[in-house]
């Protein structure tokens, strides 16, 4: 139960407030700005009003709401000893230019103490286009690395021990093709599928909802996803066949509650469709993982992770009837919120990232990416990335925070907030059900509208200065930006295209034709597409060619325009 | 009565980051302008064609993928080729040092992250005042 002491009557109108003056460097030199009383009725980033102070709740039952760490419903974390056993994986999302340039960045990160890899692909790759496709114009290597073939994939991981380092790949529409290239490249180096660890993002639902790098319509997209679940369950047992992602939903402008509820709703849909295929959920669900954002409101974020674990565990056990405890444990990766980074005074971003990373660690994340200070300006430089990684290492080795399991458990405020987020999520699940489920809600634009609304509302808050963004709408300076920017090799694209053409002209044509033919027949039928995709990439079919066959069979998705 | 200012908000290339474009579109609409949003994945040719069909006074180009250096000048080339009288602005993740090149090819303003939406509204109202 919370005290009903709202913050009111504290604002003294005669005080100097910061509503009217932007504190620029110039202003600070000539006037002293008093510390203003804060406006009453503080609202967090889900526009939830909070009370002044929280007390023990009368209906709080420890065993039901929390349980021990490592025990159902896993609110306090999925491991009994949490970070005392093993720290989270420090996994920096990286990729730019060619496979060769990115391979160097991977080795740089590993040499500085990174413990897992995470691949950022460029836009053409995300859409299943080769570098020399007309659609790829202007996009080569910019938002990530270009991977058009198994040969590129081999170069990307050259010299990296794939049995010891786990790799996460942010790829969705063509996820099964990129995964096949990874499996093929690993196999050619002698790493058997059952020793490989990693993750493909493979979450197409959130592509329609927020991230927008979709290729095929929902039904065939879901078929490809379930194909990977089935293939992974049987052949690549240590691989996360999906990373069900709230990150992009949040970046597109949703609130924390929407991020939580939309993501879990997507998760339920994947489980449902996997079961419809006839897969045993006790076997495939343990290979599903999650990915959340770490935004600015510290406790709201921690409550979000805790609520996520509790809801998932309950739903898996009670609604879906699962009995394997591993399937009830929600495991997740976290990335600090890119959209909170400011181009102004970029050094301040280090502080933001530190706070966000702390929330993720206190929320019990399994792996973490910390953003670099320069990412509101361009791709991060080596030094900026190193500082971001060091931020995690300082938390891990200096702060003492990982030395106790779930140190915030039992905080009156945090437990109230966790309950509140859970309750609000269920209200959103009910709304989604009114649309006939996640796919119906996507087709009717429910998620897209909700996210656009929240993004606009937030921007208006910032523009009215109801929310302060340090260095942007308050505490500004006039000093010019002075930070180095990463530039790509200007000849990179030509070199990549030359490699691609050579591959096409030297491969065994009959083997290639046979593989693509088999792929087409498989796609037209109903059996699992993964084996045929693997054959195709091993026969040196490029990403664009394999996706091209699937585009012909499945068609392409066009979204409705909602503003 | 003068007709409303018509603005096309466009997403060139493969970039899927549409939060900024949509927020700006909403803000311009709330400020009384008529806003057409292209949706995602537009080629420069598609954007210019839509701009002509819709007879817009302004085009806002948004890119966060880094493809601005190739795609924005291409749009400007087509604008010139078609002798269009249109105010073109840009927004997204655009490094400071790329701004002079974009301006040289005719882009009137580049709105980076942190730009208050009101600045964008005012800019359009002021620059298009003579026409309306």
């Amino acid at each position: 139960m919370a005290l009903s002491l709202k913050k009111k009557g504290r604002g003294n109108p005669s005080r100097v407030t910061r509503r009217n003056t932007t504190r620029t460097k110039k202003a600070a030199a000539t006037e002293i700005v008093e510390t203003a009383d804060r406006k009453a009725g503080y609202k967090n980033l889900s526009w939830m009003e909070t009370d002044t102070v929280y007390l023990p709740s009368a209906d709080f039952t420890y065993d039901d709401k929390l349980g021990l760490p490592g025990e159902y419903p896993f609110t306090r974390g999925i491991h009994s000893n949490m970070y005392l056993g093993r720290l989270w994986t420090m996994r920096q999302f990286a990729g730019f230019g060619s496979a060769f340039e990115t391979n160097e960045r991977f080795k740089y990160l590993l040499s500085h103490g990174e413990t897992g890899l995470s691949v950022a692909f460029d836009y053409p790759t995300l859409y299943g286009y080769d570098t020399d496709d007309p659609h790829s114009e202007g996009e080569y290597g910019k938002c990530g690395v270009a991977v058009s073939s198994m040969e590129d994939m081999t170069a990307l991981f050259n010299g990296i021990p794939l049995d010891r380092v786990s790799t996460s790949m942010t790829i969705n529409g063509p996820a099964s093709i990129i995964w096949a290239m990874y499996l093929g490249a690993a196999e050619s180096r002698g790493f058997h599928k059952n020793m490989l660890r990693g993750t493909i993002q493979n979450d197409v639902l959130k592509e329609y909802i927020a991230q927008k790098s979709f290729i095929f319509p929902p039904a065939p997209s879901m078929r490809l996803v379930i194909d990977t679940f089935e293939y992974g369950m049987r052949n690549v047992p240590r691989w996360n066949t999906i990373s069900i992602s709230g990150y992009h939903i949040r970046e597109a402008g949703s609130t924390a509650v929407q991020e939580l509820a939309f993501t879990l709703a997507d998760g339920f849909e994947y489980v449902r469709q996997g079961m419809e295929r006839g897969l045993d959920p006790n076997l495939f669900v343990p290979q599903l993982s999650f990915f959340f954002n770490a935004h600015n409101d510290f406790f709201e974020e921690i409550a979000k992770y805790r609520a996520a674990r509790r809801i998932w565990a309950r739903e898996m056990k009670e609604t879906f009837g699962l009995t394997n405890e591993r399937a009830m444990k929600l495991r997740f990766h976290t990335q600090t919120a890119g959209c909170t980074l400011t181009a102004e005074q970029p050094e301040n971003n280090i502080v933001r990232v530190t706070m966000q990373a702390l929330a993720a660690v206190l929320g019990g994340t399994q792996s973490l990416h910390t953003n670099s200070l320069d990412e509101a300006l361009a791709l991060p430089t080596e030094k900026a990335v190193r500082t971001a990684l060091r931020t995690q290492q300082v938390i891990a080795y200096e702060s003492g925070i990982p030395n106790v399991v779930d140190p915030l458990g039992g905080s009156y405020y945090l437990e109230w907030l966790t309950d509140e987020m859970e309750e609000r999520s269920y209200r959103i699940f009910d709304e989604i059900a009114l649309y006939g489920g996640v796919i119906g809600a996507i087709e009717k634009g429910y998620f897209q509208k909700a996210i656009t609304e929240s993004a606009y509302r937030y921007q208006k808050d910032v523009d009215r200065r109801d929310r302060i963004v340090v260095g942007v709408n308050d505490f500004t300076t006039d000093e010019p930006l002075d930070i180095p920017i990463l530039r790509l090799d200007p000849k990179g694209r030509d070199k990549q295209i030359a490699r691609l053409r050579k591959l096409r002209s030297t491969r065994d044509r009959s083997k290639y034709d046979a593989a693509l033919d088999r792929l087409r027949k498989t796609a037209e039928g109903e059996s699992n597409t993964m084996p045929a995709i693997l054959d195709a990439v091993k026969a040196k079919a490029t990403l664009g060619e394999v996706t091209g066959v699937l585009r012909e069979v499945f068609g392409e998705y066009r979204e409705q325009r909602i503003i | 009565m003068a007709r409303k200012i018509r603005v096309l908000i466009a997403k060139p290339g493969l970039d899927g980051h549409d939060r900024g474009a949509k927020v700006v579109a909403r803000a311009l609409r709330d400020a009384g302008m008529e806003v057409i949003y292209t949706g995602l994945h537009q080629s420069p040719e598609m954007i210019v064609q839509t701009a002509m069909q819709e007879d817009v006074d302004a085009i806002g180009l948004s890119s966060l993928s880094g493809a601005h250096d190739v795609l924005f000048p291409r749009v400007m080339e087509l604008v010139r080729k078609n002798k269009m009288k249109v105010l073109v602005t840009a927004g997204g993740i655009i490094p400071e040092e790329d701004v002079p090149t974009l301006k040289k090819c005719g882009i009137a303003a580049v709105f980076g992250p942190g730009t208050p939406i009101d600045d964008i509204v005012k800019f359009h109202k002021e620059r298009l005042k003579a026409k309306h």
Side-chain angles (χ1 to χ4, degrees), chain A residues 22 25 55 101 122 136 148 159 211 228 240 287 321 335 337 361 367 382 394 419 438 483 510 520 542:
Chain A
T22 298
K25 213 161 95 187
L55 294 177
E101 287 163 279
D122 71 356
S136 306
S148 303
Q211 178 73 354
T228 61
N240 297 311
Q287 282 176 275
Q335 179 170 341
V361 168
S367 69
E382 235 172 40
V394 169
D419 289 355
V438 169
I483 65 161
S510 62
R520 183 184 304 276
T542 65

Side-chain angles (χ1 to χ4, degrees), chain A residues 422-451:
Chain A
E422 181 177 11
E423 201 184 306
R424 287 178 189 231
S425 293
Y426 274 92
R427 272 184 248 158
I428 293 178
F429 299 153
D430 290 344
E431 273 179 48
I432 295 169
L434 292 178
Y435 288 91
V438 169
I439 306 238
I442 287 170
E443 284 165 354
K444 290 180 188 83
Y446 161 79
F447 299 108
Q448 300 91 315
K449 273 182 214 145
I451 293 168

Side-chain angles (χ1 to χ4, degrees), chain A residues 368-380:
Chain A
L368 179 60
H369 165 102
T370 33
N371 287 328
S372 300
L373 70 122
D374 51 357
E375 289 186 74
L377 302 155
L379 286 171

Side-chain angles (χ1 to χ4, degrees), chain A residues 44-56:
Chain A
N44 69 14
L45 290 168
S46 297
W47 289 283
M48 237 183 245
E49 209 160 312
T50 40
D51 285 327
T52 306
V53 70
Y54 287 83
L55 294 177

Side-chain angles (χ1 to χ4, degrees), chain A residues 152-169:
Chain A
D152 287 344
M153 192 64 95
T154 306
L156 186 59
F157 292 98
N158 179 37
I160 293 169
L162 300 181
D163 54 340
R164 287 190 284 129
V165 178
S166 66
T167 300
S168 171
M169 294 187 279

